[in-house]
Amino acid sequence: MGVKNFKPTSPARRYYSVSDFKEITKDVEPLRKLVEHQTSTGGRNHYGRITSRFRGGGHKQRYRIIDWKRNKIGVPALVATIEYDPNRTARIALLHYVDGDKRYILAPDGLKVGDKIVSSRNADIKPGNSMTLRYIPLGTMIHNIELKKGKGGQLVRSAGTAAALMAKDGDYAQVRLPSGEVRMVHLDCHATIGQVSNIEHANISIGKAGRSRWLGIRPTTRGVVMNPVDHPHGGGEGKSGQGNPHPVSPWGQNAKGLKTRHNKRTDNMIVQRRKNRIR
């Protein structure tokens, strides 16, 4: 699992890099029954109006159905393949359970074809095994963490991320998330052991504009080059600054430093905010 760089045969190639895909199982098609058709919205809502700017196009993709719940308790599984998923930054693994069932899971770093994993309270503490936080030792690196019992993993799912189990108090565990936030999660919530695969994803350079278009990202127009009717930063004779005391969105909302969390119902579950993390 590494990054492949190219010789600068063109201006785009000079900064172009891709994953070497060495961990991917070769010449394997995704399992048809675990694949769904997926349509692109282009940033439009059901009225056809743009609600997310600068989106559209992109390569055609099919959605892989991932088992976020890991609820086949006590049934061992064999890792059949490690596959690329165009919908996420991490790799996925196809599991063949001994009862004949087949499911995709988020592949942790170090998981290889032929490994045996299980979801059980008595499972070994090794990458890929899943269990409730109640039976995971303190200090263990975990990912795919549930917020509600039985709902499926919602936290720590992107490439190279991992959370740490810090403490257990009463019915709750304290988990340090990749952002630095320490949050309480119920001990009966499931989590998977290990760090998410594709650690080198953060080191990949897009390299050229066309590659962003493949991902469905259209060019972003700066507010300062617009007219005043289109953006608060627009207007002015010649090249001018933003004109506002602070950077704002096209609708006048502060673009830097504005708190966007308004869920007071779960404020008491946060032990330490991410901006107050110890460096």
Side-chain angles (χ1 to χ4, degrees):
M1 190 179 298
V3 175
K4 179 181 178 181
N5 296 304
F6 296 87
K7 291 183 179 180
T9 55
S10 69
R13 281 293 194 191
R14 183 176 298 277
Y15 302 108
Y16 193 98
S17 63
V18 297
S19 174
D20 59 12
F21 298 104
K22 286 185 177 179
E23 70 280 8
I24 300 295
T25 306
K26 307 300 181 185
D27 302 322
V28 173
E29 291 290 328
L31 193 64
R32 180 171 293 184
K33 72 174 185 178
L34 294 178
V35 169
E36 287 182 347
H37 174 71
Q38 185 172 231
T39 56
S40 173
T41 64
R44 272 76 172 169
N45 63 7
H46 65 288
Y47 292 116
R49 297 169 184 158
I50 295 176
T51 52
S52 296
R53 300 184 301 160
F54 315 127
R55 294 189 183 184
H59 200 286
K60 185 177 180 180
Q61 299 170 339
R62 289 183 296 168
Y63 182 75
R64 279 72 167 168
I65 301 172
I66 309 295
D67 178 19
W68 301 115
K69 295 184 178 182
R70 299 295 303 275
N71 54 6
K72 290 188 73 71
I73 307 301
V75 183
L78 188 72
V79 179
T81 59
I82 305 292
E83 301 180 20
Y84 168 79
D85 188 346
N87 303 288
R88 63 193 74 257
T89 54
R91 307 298 182 219
I92 58 175
L94 179 62
L95 301 186
H96 287 185
Y97 287 91
V98 295
D99 61 0
D101 196 7
K102 297 179 181 180
R103 296 188 184 184
Y104 279 123
I105 66 164
L106 209 61
D109 186 46
L111 192 70
K112 297 181 177 60
V113 174
D115 288 352
K116 292 183 178 180
I117 60 176
V118 67
S119 179
S120 170
R121 58 181 288 184
N122 300 317
D124 295 333
I125 305 301
K126 69 174 188 178
N129 284 345
S130 177
M131 62 190 75
T132 57
L133 295 173
R134 189 180 302 276
Y135 302 106
I136 300 178
L138 298 181
T140 304
M141 304 300 285
I142 54 178
H143 67 276
N144 191 33
I145 307 166
E146 288 183 332
L147 274 176
K148 295 182 180 180
K149 294 179 284 185
K151 185 176 181 180
Q154 293 178 267
L155 301 175
V156 194
R157 306 197 315 195
S158 59
T161 56
L165 186 58
M166 304 293 292
K168 299 178 184 180
D169 184 17
D171 290 333
Y172 288 88
Q174 292 185 14
V175 179
R176 189 181 69 226
L177 303 176
S179 64
E181 177 179 298
V182 178
R183 184 186 179 91
M184 290 196 296
V185 182
H186 200 279
L187 288 173
D188 291 333
C189 289
H190 269 79
T192 306
I193 308 297
Q195 184 178 9
V196 184
S197 55
N198 197 18
I199 297 175
E200 295 292 336
H201 173 77
N203 299 326
I204 292 176
S205 173
I206 293 293
K208 64 178 185 178
R211 195 170 172 193
S212 288
R213 302 303 294 261
W214 301 344
L215 299 174
I217 304 171
R218 299 184 66 238
T220 302
T221 305
R222 293 170 295 135
V224 293
V225 300
M226 297 183 187
N227 293 319
V229 69
D230 298 315
H231 201 285
H233 295 174
E237 295 295 328
K239 188 174 182 180
S240 60
Q242 65 190 28
N244 296 70
H246 303 287
V248 294
S249 74
W251 306 276
Q253 189 179 57
N254 285 343
K256 293 184 177 179
L258 180 70
K259 293 183 179 179
T260 56
R261 176 182 167 84
H262 303 293
N263 188 3
K264 295 181 180 179
R265 182 180 62 84
T266 58
D267 274 351
N268 60 338
M269 305 302 288
I270 299 176
V271 179
Q272 180 177 299
R273 296 283 183 179
R274 61 186 177 90
K275 296 201 173 180
N276 299 329
R277 62 182 183 269
I278 301 173
R279 298 186 183 274

